Amino acid sequence: MGAYNSHDNVVSVQAAKVEELQDRSLAEHWQQQQRRMFVDPNPQARIGTTHAHDAYFMRGRIVYHGNLWLRKDVRGQGLAEPLTQLGFLLSLLKWSPDYLYGLMAAKSAEKGFGIRVGYRRFVPRGTHWEIAPGHIRHDDWLVYSTRADLFGLAKTILRTSGEDPE
C-alpha cells in the first residue's frame, strides 16, 4: 500500500502477505522460510529453535505485516499510526486472517508503539537466531492481533471518529 502527497509523490509504503499455515505453525514456517531466505545464502548465520512461544500455536491464515516506511520529511506528523491501522484493516478486509503479525524491535514494543498502531498481543521474543545475519535484529518481539482483535480495532477507530459501530 502506498500513500501519496498532493503532488503525487510517494510518502509512505507498507506491505503485507498472507500465508496459509493449516499444516504447520508459524514457528515451523519460520524454521523453513528463514533458513531458506537467510541461512542458505549466508552459511555463517544459524537459526535457532526456540522462537516466540505463541508462534508454536498460531496456525491458519496468517498475515505478515512488514515494515511501514515514511519519507523523512513527513515523519513526526502522526502518520505512522493511522497508516499502519489502515494497512491492518485492509488486510482484514482482503484476507480475513486468523492472525496478523509483525516483528518489532524490543525498544519500540516497550515504548508502546505496537499497541498504538493496533497490535494487541506481545511476546518478548520473535524469531530465535543463534547467529543472526547482519541485517536481522536479534531483539525482535512477536507482535500480533487475532481476527477478533482486528474487528475490535475497527470498532475503536469508528467510535473515536464519532461514528457509531453498532
Side-chain angles (χ1 to χ4, degrees):
M1 179 179 93
Y4 299 82
N5 65 11
S6 60
H7 303 291
D8 286 331
N9 296 321
V10 175
V11 295
S12 177
V13 177
Q14 62 183 304
K17 72 174 190 168
V18 67
E19 299 284 354
E20 295 288 347
L21 300 179
Q22 308 302 330
D23 62 335
R24 63 191 181 280
S25 70
L26 179 58
E28 292 166 323
H29 176 71
W30 286 344
Q31 279 301 122
Q32 177 189 35
Q33 294 301 315
Q34 301 291 55
R35 183 194 53 75
R36 182 183 62 78
M37 292 185 322
F38 300 117
V39 177
D40 289 352
N42 181 2
Q44 295 84 0
R46 271 200 321 259
I47 191 157
T49 57
T50 55
H51 305 296
H53 177 266
D54 295 23
Y56 288 92
F57 302 97
M58 295 169 68
R59 293 177 182 269
R61 181 173 287 169
I62 301 178
V63 169
Y64 171 69
H65 182 268
N67 293 343
L68 171 79
W69 171 82
L70 284 172
R71 204 172 67 191
K72 286 183 182 181
D73 63 318
V74 298
R75 292 179 189 165
Q77 297 180 26
L79 294 173
E81 293 169 19
L83 286 173
T84 302
Q85 291 172 353
L86 180 59
F88 285 12
L89 297 179
L90 286 172
S91 294
L92 175 63
L93 289 170
K94 183 172 183 161
W95 294 305
S96 187
D98 298 298
Y99 300 97
L100 180 141
Y101 83 97
L103 297 167
M104 183 175 290
K107 189 175 186 178
S108 296
E110 290 165 351
K111 287 183 176 181
F113 180 71
I115 196 78
R116 289 193 310 273
V117 298
Y119 289 113
R120 296 298 180 250
R121 299 160 197 269
F122 303 84
V123 185
R125 171 179 259 175
T127 52
H128 171 223
W129 290 93
E130 291 176 9
I131 302 174
H135 65 288
I136 300 288
R137 299 191 68 88
H138 68 281
D139 67 340
D140 64 356
W141 283 29
L142 169 63
V143 292
Y144 70 97
S145 290
T146 65
R147 181 183 303 126
D149 295 333
L150 294 171
F151 279 115
L153 173 65
K155 287 180 180 180
T156 298
I157 292 168
L158 286 172
R159 195 170 26 257
T160 58
S161 71
E163 299 292 325
D164 184 0
E166 301 304 323

